[in-house]
Amino acid sequence: MRRLLIAGNWKMHKTVEGALSLIRELKRLVSDVNHRDILVCPPFTALYAVRAELKGSNISLGAQNMFYEEEGAFTGEISPLMLRDVGCSYVILGHSERRHIFGETDELINKKVLSAVNHGLIPILCVGETLQEREDGKTKEVIERQVREGLKGLSETSEFVIAYEPVWAIGTGRTATPELAEEVHSFIRELLSEMFGAKKAESVRILYGGSVKPENAAGLLSQPNIDGSLVGGASLKADSFAKIVKFDAEG
Ligand code: PGA
C-alpha cells in the first residue's frame, strides 16, 4: 500500500517570521497524524529556521527547486548539498512555473532529477498539460514526454515522486474532477510500469496538484491512483492545510 503524501508548496511566500508562525501552528494541528506523510516546501530563505522548528515532528522538509551541480560559479543557484545541509529530504522539480516562467526544459529538469537522487534527495517531478494542449487533445502526449524525459536514467531502485498538476488548474480555482485526474494518474502509472516494471510502478506515489482545497481533497484523494497532493495556495494557512492532511477525519 502506498502511504499518502500531502505536500505544501509555499512558492514565493513567507518571511522567516511568517514561516515560523505557520509551521508552529501546523505542527500543533497535525501532531496526531501518523498514517500519512506530511511535507512542507518553504522558500530557500526559511528552510534553516523551519528545519529547527520541525525537529522531532512528523513533518518533513523539502525545497522548491535546485541546480544540479554541487558547487561552483552559478550565481543565484542552490545545490543539492546545500539542501541536504539544511535538512531537506525532498525537492520539487520541474514545477510548471519553473517550466513556463523560467524556461526550464525537460533536459534540464532531468539533470536536476538525477542529481537529486544521486545526493539522497527525493525529487517530486511535476508534470502537466496547458489548457491549449488539453483542448488540442495532446494531454497524454505531453505527459508521456515529461515523464519519460524527466525520469531518464533512473532505475527501479531510485526513489521519486510524481506530481500531476494540470497547468490550467494551478492557482485558478479550477480543479480537475476526480475522474479526469484519475485517468491521467493511471496513465502515468502505466508509463512507469513500462519504464521500470509493474512492481516499481505500484510503489511510486503520484500526487495531484492544482487548486486542492479542504472541500475537494476527499474526492481527489480517494481515487485509487491518487496518492496525495501538492498544495499551493491552501498550504499557506495552517488550518486549511491541516484539513487537507486529515481529509477523511473531516468526513
Ligand atoms: P495551487 O498550486 O494549489 O495554488 O493551485 C499548486 C501548485 O502549483 O503546486
Side-chain angles (χ1 to χ4, degrees):
M1 262 311 276
R2 297 179 293 268
R3 248 171 100 86
L4 290 186
L5 169 64
I6 312 295
N9 172 11
W10 295 5
K11 307 194 179 182
M12 198 172 73
H13 293 281
K14 304 291 176 189
T15 58
V16 171
E17 207 177 309
L20 286 175
S21 69
L22 172 54
I23 206 66
R24 284 181 188 131
E25 201 187 339
L26 182 65
K27 243 180 20 176
R28 192 171 53 75
L29 293 174
V30 301
S31 61
D32 55 337
V33 175
N34 49 28
H35 58 306
R36 47 187 69 143
D37 294 336
I38 309 168
L39 170 69
V40 291
C41 301
F44 291 130
T45 46
L47 288 172
Y48 188 71
V50 169
R51 190 261 292 257
E53 198 61 41
L54 289 181
K55 279 219 175 92
S57 82
N58 56 343
I59 306 174
S60 303
L61 187 66
Q64 301 171 19
N65 183 29
M66 63 165 223
F67 192 54
Y68 54 81
E69 294 284 359
E70 289 187 346
E71 62 177 11
F74 303 104
T75 303
E77 294 295 325
I78 300 282
S79 87
L81 296 183
M82 295 167 180
L83 295 185
R84 288 295 304 263
D85 189 40
V86 292
C88 288
S89 41
Y90 290 82
V91 59
I92 298 170
L93 294 173
H95 189 278
S96 74
E97 286 146 21
R98 301 297 319 168
R99 292 177 190 264
H100 298 292
I101 305 173
F102 302 100
E104 293 198 6
T105 61
D106 287 317
E107 193 189 353
L108 174 67
I109 294 162
N110 177 241
K111 284 186 178 160
K112 294 181 176 195
V113 166
L114 289 174
S115 173
V117 169
N118 288 336
H119 289 90
L121 289 159
I122 302 170
I124 301 177
L125 172 68
C126 300
V127 300
E129 80 288 2
T130 62
L131 185 58
Q132 191 63 53
E133 288 162 342
R134 173 159 286 270
E135 285 172 352
D136 292 346
K138 292 193 175 137
T139 299
K140 289 191 173 163
E141 186 187 313
V142 170
I143 301 297
E144 176 158 5
R145 192 198 71 230
Q146 291 175 342
V147 169
R148 286 194 187 275
E149 298 291 312
L151 300 178
K152 207 183 259 178
L154 293 188
S155 77
E156 68 281 358
T157 60
S158 318
E159 195 175 349
F160 59 88
V161 172
I162 292 186
Y164 169 55
E165 301 201 303
V167 180
W168 46 270
I170 296 178
T172 58
R174 219 182 132 180
T175 325
T177 60
E179 295 71 30
L180 185 150
E182 170 62 19
E183 188 188 335
V184 178
H185 280 237
S186 77
F187 173 68
I188 293 173
R189 204 171 304 285
E190 277 165 34
L191 276 176
L192 294 175
S193 180
E194 278 176 31
M195 294 169 72
F196 303 107
K199 189 154 170 264
K200 176 65 179 175
E202 278 308 307
S203 75
V204 173
R205 291 187 286 193
I206 308 176
L207 315 183
Y208 170 79
S211 299
V212 175
K213 296 180 178 53
E215 305 80 60
N216 59 28
L220 289 158
L221 290 164
S222 49
Q223 295 295 315
N225 285 292
I226 301 186
D227 313 309
S229 60
L230 183 54
V231 186
S235 72
L236 295 172
K237 293 233 160 58
D239 62 339
S240 56
F241 189 62
K243 277 186 186 149
I244 296 172
V245 167
K246 299 170 129 179
F247 71 91
D248 54 354
E250 301 294 315

